[in-house]
Amino acid sequence: MTTDIWIVTCVLLATIIAFVLDRFRLDVVAFVSLLALLLTGILTPTEATAGFSNSLVLMIAGLFVVGGAILASGIADLAGRWLGQVGGTSTVRLTATVMLASALLSAFLSSTGTVAVMLPVVLSLCRRAEVSPSKLLIPLAFGASLGGMLTLIGTPPNMVVNQELRDAGLEPFEFFSFAPAGILMLALGIVFMCTIGTRLLPKMRTSAEDATRHQGYVSRPELIHSYAVDDKICEIRIPRKSKFAGRTLRDLGLRTNFQFNALAVSTPSTKGTVVRKCDADTLLQGGDTLFIKSSNEECLAKLIDEGQIESVALPAVLPKEVHLAELIIPPRSEFIGRTVRDVEFFRLYGTMVLALHDGTQPASTRTSDTPLTSGDTLLVAADAPALERLRKSRNNVLLVSEQEEPPETPLAPAARWVVVILVGMLVAMSFGIVANVTAVLVAATLMVIVGAFRGTNVYQSVNWESIVMIASVMPLATALQKTGTLDLVVSVIVESPGLTNPLALLLLLFAVTSLLSQAISNTATSVLIAPLALELAERLDVSPYPLLMGVALAASTAFATPVASPINALVAGAGRYRFGDFLKVGVPLQVLILLATLACVPFLFPFSP
């Protein structure tokens, strides 16, 4: 082995280990790996930067914009409401409906965007049907993953293997080339989850707290009880003779001196009671009623004594203007690792964080100093405008439940144009009227022109972490080929007697891709495995199409762990799943998809060139 091969191998292994550890952002890991290859002279500057101008990367960025327009226009929410109407109350019927709906959306949207849209809908559906969310949230995630197998744009790995064919001068897959195998896998997944899978999923908890938590936190008392803040929220009446009257919260230093958060203040007037959201400049007046969340009984006693407070009600009866809601921290949120105090929720969203839940127990004390992790849920108090801002948030926090049914989101004025543009893009890609990247970029541009986005929201719709990660990983595949590392691996496989059979080769590629996808990004996995599959096909003189199709299908089988994909992590927090829940359901489904791939892919795409 040459020095270059050793360098590339070390960089590759270090990259995979860093991906698995998940202590650093994916784009940072990939970019550092790219710099290592550039600084060691393995890649030239032109080769190292080629990924950022690759048509695949541009197409994925454009698809983020198209998907963002579908979300922003309310079309995806409309699909979610339709789901609630047809789901019924049977667990089996709900499972099939949720999986089918998420798969259809995921065929054209990102899987993460699909789950973000449908998660609140499914929780509401569970509440009405009195079904534990733990029975439906894993099917929601698996349906979104299986939906990526249906179309060329369903998931980035499909586009990666397609680009590999194009770069090799071969005829690429068509838009619906994935559909025959994808439909079969989706059908198998639905049947499995409706029969065996639903029995393997955790059952409905029977304790009052768990039953409340798993029914969507529909009422204010349930929300308060679920986060163990029953005895933390109280209301105090400010007498006219109180030392607090005529002073602002900032002047009094109530948060630092008395360790409580002010949620709202109610002021009587001739026209009725006026409820205001509190901030540091809120002026207290004699006769006001102040609603607070306090974590310390001694500080509350000190507040009563120094403020000459006469009337205290515990627990408080919060006014209707104070809305309680539950948020979840999604994977790749910028808030992960930061405390509530660092994030400044009040400044960003106008909300007050009352407590958090880490999936095992609520933390209602020292909430401000607790670092946030993916899957954590937060109980917040907000007014109507702040609640609306939270509904529109999908990147750093996701609103999953409220004390009342959320109002139906009306379709945006540009919704009809969004549908027309989407259909036009799909037609152009299906019939090859223009190049796929051209169709996507034109559609993305038109989405902006017709007003599907407001201001700079178009940039927020793009997952830049994924774009940088893909563009940085692609040159790593170039380095594997350039240094002969890929040839070395291919030679070892070809010289192994048991792997010369094409079916055994398909099994090997599927297994390796599926296994790596449990630990690292499925896009990064396909970028690394697709050139190997193409090289093996050429060396063994078999068609590359079944091997690359197998790689694409395997990349969408990230079922076995809660960290296998962002959507698994998202539902893990909302459903309070344990690591073993994914193993029990995911591994059998992966084996089933593997067997189905070995049976149908060679039939759809023969090995003979």
Side-chain angles (χ1 to χ4, degrees):
M1 293 175 60
T2 65
T3 303
D4 286 352
I5 291 179
W6 278 113
I7 293 175
V8 171
T9 302
C10 290
V11 171
L12 175 61
L13 292 177
T15 302
I16 293 175
I17 291 172
F19 279 154
V20 172
L21 293 177
D22 198 27
R23 293 184 179 179
F24 307 98
R25 288 169 52 110
L26 296 181
D27 53 344
V28 173
V29 172
F31 195 75
V32 169
S33 300
L34 176 63
L35 288 178
L37 295 173
L38 179 61
L39 294 175
T40 54
I42 300 296
L43 295 176
T44 66
T46 301
E47 292 170 334
T49 58
F52 291 92
S53 60
N54 191 285
S55 60
L56 171 64
V57 176
L58 295 175
M59 185 163 69
I60 292 175
L63 287 171
F64 276 125
V65 175
V66 173
I70 296 173
L71 295 174
S73 62
I75 296 172
D77 290 317
L78 179 63
R81 292 199 297 271
W82 169 83
L83 169 66
Q85 295 172 357
V86 303
T89 58
S90 165
T91 302
V92 172
R93 180 178 173 183
L94 284 170
T95 299
T97 304
V98 166
M99 292 188 69
L100 184 59
S102 63
L104 292 177
L105 281 177
S106 183
F108 306 103
L109 290 176
S110 72
S111 57
T112 304
T114 296
V115 173
V117 167
M118 292 193 60
L119 184 56
V121 177
V122 172
L123 288 174
S124 176
L125 193 62
C126 291
R127 181 179 66 249
R128 290 196 298 268
E130 297 184 355
V131 173
S132 169
S134 63
K135 290 292 185 182
L136 291 182
L137 292 185
I138 278 183
L140 168 64
F142 287 4
S145 294
L146 292 168
M149 301 179 181
L150 296 175
T151 66
L152 174 64
I153 63 173
T155 183
N158 294 359
M159 292 180 276
V160 168
V161 299
N162 199 56
Q163 187 67 33
E164 195 67 31
L165 288 170
R166 193 183 301 276
D167 292 343
L170 301 173
E171 188 69 24
F173 288 119
E174 296 179 355
F175 188 82
F176 288 110
S177 294
F178 299 85
I183 291 173
L184 174 62
M185 304 307 168
L186 176 60
L188 287 174
I190 292 176
V191 171
F192 173 80
M193 292 305 301
C194 288
T195 54
I196 300 174
T198 190
R199 298 178 182 178
L200 296 175
L201 289 171
K203 296 180 180 179
M204 169 79 79
R205 274 71 170 182
T206 56
S207 71
E209 182 178 340
D210 284 336
T212 295
R213 185 180 303 132
H214 281 275
Q215 289 182 16
Y217 308 90
V218 296
S219 71
R220 181 176 294 182
E222 288 173 339
L223 273 168
I224 291 174
H225 179 68
S226 296
Y227 283 85
V229 290
D230 310 64
D231 57 347
K232 305 292 191 304
I233 300 178
C234 60
E235 56 181 287
I236 59 177
R237 186 175 181 275
I238 310 296
R240 298 190 183 279
K241 63 179 181 179
S242 171
K243 296 179 181 179
F244 294 167
R247 303 178 67 182
T248 67
L249 297 182
R250 188 195 306 276
D251 294 336
L252 296 171
L254 294 183
R255 179 176 296 182
T256 55
N257 296 334
F258 301 100
Q259 297 181 20
F260 77 77
N261 292 321
L263 309 182
V265 60
S266 173
T267 302
S269 68
T270 55
K271 297 182 179 180
T273 301
V274 177
V275 178
R276 295 170 290 152
K277 182 170 64 176
C278 287
D279 57 30
D281 296 319
T282 298
L283 179 66
L284 298 180
Q285 302 174 8
D288 283 353
T289 299
L290 188 62
F291 299 89
I292 67 171
K293 185 255 180 175
S294 175
S295 304
N296 191 312
E297 293 183 2
E298 294 181 1
C299 288
L300 181 60
K302 178 182 177 183
L303 169 71
I304 295 172
D305 180 57
E306 295 190 10
Q308 299 176 332
I309 305 299
E310 299 175 352
S311 176
V312 178
L314 181 69
V317 179
L318 292 174
K320 66 180 186 326
E321 289 83 358
V322 179
H323 299 269
L324 297 184
E326 185 183 27
L327 312 178
I328 191 170
I329 304 297
R332 308 305 173 196
S333 168
E334 295 180 0
F335 299 162
I336 293 175
R338 299 165 63 187
T339 65
V340 171
R341 191 190 310 278
D342 294 335
V343 171
E344 296 183 312
F345 276 85
F346 190 84
R347 180 180 62 82
L348 291 176
Y349 302 106
T351 63
M352 184 69 67
V353 178
L354 304 180
L356 66 83
H357 201 296
D358 63 2
T360 57
Q361 61 183 359
S364 58
T365 59
R366 308 306 298 172
T367 301
S368 298
D369 300 322
T370 303
L372 298 171
T373 61
S374 175
D376 282 353
T377 54
L378 304 173
L379 176 65
V380 300
D383 59 8
L387 205 59
E388 184 61 29
R389 286 194 293 273
L390 289 172
R391 290 193 188 103
K392 296 178 180 179
S393 173
R394 300 189 190 275
N395 295 325
N396 293 318
V397 293
L398 177 64
L399 179 66
V400 292
S401 60
E402 305 172 38
Q403 64 187 34
E404 300 173 351
E405 285 292 328
E408 291 190 0
T409 304
L411 290 176
R416 293 182 179 179
W417 284 112
V418 170
V419 173
V420 171
I421 295 168
L422 176 63
V423 171
M425 183 191 77
L426 298 179
V427 169
M429 296 179 73
S430 301
F431 292 96
I433 298 174
V434 294
N436 288 337
V437 64
T438 303
V440 171
L441 293 180
V442 169
T445 303
L446 291 176
M447 293 294 188
V448 177
I449 292 175
V450 299
F453 295 96
R454 292 182 179 178
T456 60
N457 287 348
V458 61
Y459 296 104
Q460 298 174 3
S461 68
V462 179
N463 187 329
W464 294 107
E465 180 183 359
S466 295
I467 295 299
V468 174
M469 186 271 293
I470 296 170
S472 300
V473 167
M474 292 181 75
L476 181 55
T478 302
L480 291 172
Q481 294 174 320
K482 180 180 179 181
T483 59
T485 309
L486 186 63
D487 287 335
L488 182 61
V489 175
V490 170
S491 298
V492 172
I493 294 176
V494 170
E495 292 171 5
S496 300
L499 297 178
T500 54
N501 184 296
L503 197 60
L505 193 59
L506 177 60
L507 171 61
L508 174 66
L509 290 171
F510 188 103
V512 171
T513 304
S514 183
L515 182 62
L516 285 176
S517 294
Q518 307 310 308
I520 68 175
S521 161
N522 62 353
T523 305
T525 298
S526 57
V527 168
L528 298 174
I529 301 298
L532 175 63
L534 189 65
E535 188 69 23
L536 284 170
E538 182 179 349
R539 190 76 67 88
L540 294 174
D541 194 28
V542 298
S543 171
Y545 294 98
L547 300 184
L548 288 172
M549 179 60 69
V551 170
L553 295 175
S556 292
T557 59
F559 304 135
T561 71
V563 296
S565 70
I567 56 176
N568 287 8
L570 195 58
V571 301
R576 308 286 190 248
Y577 293 113
R578 298 179 178 90
F579 194 95
D581 295 330
F582 284 89
L583 281 176
K584 287 190 296 184
V585 183
V587 172
L589 182 57
Q590 281 182 240
V591 173
L592 182 63
I593 299 297
L594 168 60
L595 295 176
T597 298
L598 296 177
C600 79
V601 168
F603 175 77
L604 296 171
F605 302 93
F607 285 116
S608 56

